[in-house]
Amino acid sequence: MNATSPICKIYQGIADRRQMFRLFDRHAHRPNRFADDAGALYRNEWFELDQSGHDYMLGILPPLWMRPEMFALIEFLTGSVTSVFFQLRIDGRVRYFHSYCDLCDKGSPERMRAALVERESWPVKAMTHEERLEHIWSSTHDDYRGYAGEDWLPELRGKRTLLVYDRGRTVLKLLEDLTDAEIAAKLPVHLRHLPLDVAA
């Protein structure tokens, strides 16, 4: 990911408080954690949370700023990237979201708000291929996910890996190389058969 990181839904469903804190730092175990620019990893990631999580974060610290339907945390994750929380009415229902926005990118929170409303207003419930992979990464325990290390080809090192069951044994595989069958096996049952595309 780079300065133009795409807006990316990283978890399907509504995160409770435990899941919320885990999703805040889902890249915590990456190699060279304190030597790289983490902003490129986190920028534009988002997920839905419940009202109690939203209200808890509003009360835990004074916000950096508050605007209609959103507020930003005063503590920055890295550089100019910080948490922005949204309270949005979508299809007649109030819902709550968290995203990482780069506040040096003028209009980033407003673009995120528009993207959230657009994505969550799809007429048919569906998941993109990228959303499937990100949900799998977000919901996999740390013991079963990691990063390609010295045993991998140089161009693959640092990419995300997962343990998968393959022909009677457990093997390490790049997240991006999962087959459709492996993706289906890793998803919860209620997500496996959702349409694979953006609803028009």
Side-chain angles (χ1 to χ4, degrees), residues 67 102-111:
R67 300 175 187 167
D102 187 344
L103 299 188
C104 278
D105 179 7
K106 187 175 180 181
S108 173
E110 288 74 19
R111 287 195 302 277

Side-chain angles (χ1 to χ4, degrees), residues 53-67:
H54 172 276
D55 293 351
Y56 175 80
M57 296 307 297
L58 179 59
I60 198 169
L61 290 170
L64 177 67
W65 49 253
M66 295 187 74
R67 300 175 187 167

Side-chain angles (χ1 to χ4, degrees), residues 7 44 46 86 99-101 108-116:
I7 292 174
N44 290 334
W46 67 272
F86 299 84
S99 80
Y100 282 117
C101 294
S108 173
E110 288 74 19
R111 287 195 302 277
M112 178 61 72
R113 175 173 54 191
L116 292 171

Side-chain angles (χ1 to χ4, degrees), residues 14 24 28-29 48 119 124 137-138 141 144 149 176 187 189:
I14 301 173
F24 282 160
H29 299 292
E48 187 170 359
R119 169 61 182 86
V124 176
W137 180 258
S138 294
H141 191 278
Y144 303 102
E176 64 191 46
L187 287 173
V189 173

Side-chain angles (χ1 to χ4, degrees), residues 77-143:
L77 174 72
T78 180
S80 55
V81 176
T82 193
S83 291
V84 178
F85 291 84
F86 299 84
Q87 178 179 325
L88 304 174
R89 181 171 293 277
I90 300 174
D91 294 333
R93 184 162 61 94
V94 176
R95 296 168 64 183
Y96 303 87
F97 302 90
H98 166 271
S99 80
Y100 282 117
C101 294
D102 187 344
L103 299 188
C104 278
D105 179 7
K106 187 175 180 181
S108 173
E110 288 74 19
R111 287 195 302 277
M112 178 61 72
R113 175 173 54 191
L116 292 171
V117 172
E118 188 278 329
R119 169 61 182 86
E120 293 304 300
S121 298
W122 287 357
V124 176
K125 188 173 182 182
M127 291 174 71
T128 66
H129 178 75
E130 179 184 42
E131 288 172 354
R132 291 168 197 257
L133 293 181
E134 295 304 332
H135 180 87
I136 289 168
W137 180 258
S138 294
S139 57
T140 298
H141 191 278
D142 289 339
D143 290 346

